[in-house]
């Protein structure tokens, strides 16, 4: 069985603070993929990143960075110098030999 | 390029009525997924198609739900008869291939309210 846990239900930060969203996953598949999606207040789901299980190299894209650690089955997402526009629900997802399994999401509120 | 297109964006209907949600995937994508999102249950996969063929419909909640994909550019999700507990946002997503785990691209969703 595959499972994604996002323990943080809601996070609130002040603008310009750094924030890390946690994601822990469970799978028995040796090959799998991890994803992060953003759901802003407008409601659409926006793809942010995909990582495969063979590539543990961290990735940085502007203010966003992702830390993948197989040893702890985690794929955490950090936003540096947060902005109000980052306010959204963020979903971590896992795909092994089955379709995507989503976590419950973390609601991030960035306060000006 | 056009993304995944869903219609209608909002639907309000009375209990017992038939509801049909529509989806046009991204051109060239050969996998299509229907999801339902509620506060209580989060994002749930209802059914997915690969090359227009339903692969897994185990997420479809009841026989009142049915989905079709008559061709590569169109899919429908039908609820008949609808019930208030079906109220949710229904998303359609598409991807290029299911085996290689290309990322799924989501439509804007249809917000369904059943009164």
């Amino acid at each position: 069985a595959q499972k994604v846990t996002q323990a943080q239900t809601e996070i609130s930060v002040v603008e310009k603070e750094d924030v890390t969203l946690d994601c822990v996953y469970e799978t028995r598949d040796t090959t799998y993929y991890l994803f992060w999606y953003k759901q802003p207040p407008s409601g659409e789901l926006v793809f942010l990143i995909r990582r495969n299980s063979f590539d543990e190299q961290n990735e940085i894209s502007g203010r966003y960075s992702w830390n993948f650690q197989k040893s702890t089955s985690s794929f955490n997402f950090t936003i540096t110098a947060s902005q109000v526009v980052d306010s959204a629900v963020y979903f971590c997802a896992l795909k092994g030999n089955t379709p995507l399994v989503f976590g419950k999401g973390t609601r991030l509120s960035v306060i000006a | 390029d056009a993304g995944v297109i869903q219609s209608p964006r909002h639907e309000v209907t009375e209990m017992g009525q038939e509801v049909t949600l529509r989806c046009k995937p991204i051109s060239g994508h050969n996998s299509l997924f229907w999801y339902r999102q509620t506060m209580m249950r989060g994002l749930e996969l209802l059914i997915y198609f690969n090359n227009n063929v339903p692969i897994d419909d185990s997420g479809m909640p009841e026989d009142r739900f049915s989905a079709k994909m008559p061709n590569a550019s169109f899919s429908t999700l039908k609820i008949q008869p609808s019930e208030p507990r079906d109220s949710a946002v229904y998303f359609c997503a598409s991807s290029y291939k299911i085996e290689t785990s290309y990322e799924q691209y989501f439509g804007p969703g249809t917000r369904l309210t059943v009164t």
Side-chain angles (χ1 to χ4, degrees):
Chain A
Q2 298 184 119
K3 184 179 179 182
V4 175
T5 301
Q6 295 180 253
Q8 306 150 307
T9 306
E10 293 190 33
I11 299 176
S12 184
V13 299
V14 177
E15 201 172 22
K16 298 184 182 178
E17 286 184 353
D18 298 347
V19 58
T20 296
L21 310 181
D22 298 331
C23 173
V24 175
Y25 62 92
E26 296 176 27
T27 181
R28 294 181 181 176
D29 296 327
T30 54
T31 299
Y32 54 89
Y33 298 80
L34 295 161
F35 303 79
W36 276 95
Y37 283 83
K38 174 182 179 179
Q39 187 173 38
S42 52
E44 72 274 22
L45 278 152
V46 179
F47 165 75
L48 294 178
I49 189 172
R50 171 175 57 113
R51 216 67 183 134
N52 72 55
S53 53
F54 298 110
D55 183 2
E56 288 192 69
Q57 190 171 13
N58 292 334
E59 182 156 343
I60 299 175
S61 176
R63 295 183 298 105
Y64 295 172
S65 62
W66 291 268
N67 182 271
F68 176 29
Q69 292 194 347
K70 289 181 73 172
S71 61
T72 56
S73 297
S74 65
F75 186 44
N76 296 337
F77 173 27
T78 297
I79 302 175
T80 303
S82 59
Q83 300 177 1
V84 173
V85 293
D86 296 327
S87 296
V89 180
Y90 291 86
F91 292 93
C92 180
L94 164 70
K95 183 192 179 322
N97 291 325
T98 57
L100 276 179
V101 172
F102 283 87
K104 295 294 186 184
T106 297
R107 180 177 299 277
L108 173 65
S109 297
V110 181
I111 303 167
Chain B
D1 289 340
V4 175
I5 298 172
Q6 290 186 248
S7 64
R9 294 293 308 277
H10 302 273
E11 177 81 32
V12 180
T13 191
E14 292 183 348
M15 181 174 62
Q17 297 297 307
E18 176 182 302
V19 176
T20 299
L21 311 181
R22 298 173 177 79
C23 175
K24 177 179 170 56
I26 292 173
S27 178
H29 283 188
N30 62 355
S31 297
L32 184 139
F33 308 79
W34 282 102
Y35 291 86
R36 178 172 68 176
Q37 185 179 35
T38 61
M39 288 293 293
M40 291 296 294
R41 301 174 69 90
L43 267 166
E44 302 173 278
L45 177 66
L46 300 177
I47 184 172
Y48 67 93
F49 296 84
N50 196 25
N51 294 321
N52 311 339
V53 176
I55 303 300
D56 185 352
D57 65 355
S58 60
M60 296 285 260
E62 302 172 29
D63 291 344
R64 299 183 296 105
F65 286 69
S66 63
K68 293 182 180 179
M69 192 166 186
N71 58 61
S73 59
F74 184 66
S75 176
T76 60
L77 178 67
K78 183 181 294 186
I79 308 172
Q80 180 185 24
S82 58
E83 296 182 3
R85 58 186 168 140
D86 301 331
S87 297
V89 180
Y90 291 82
F91 287 101
C92 175
S94 70
S95 69
Y96 178 60
K97 287 182 75 172
I98 201 170
E99 296 86 0
T100 52
S101 190
Y102 285 130
E103 51 271 16
Q104 295 178 19
Y105 291 90
F106 285 75
T110 295
R111 182 174 296 277
L112 174 64
T113 303
V114 184
T115 60

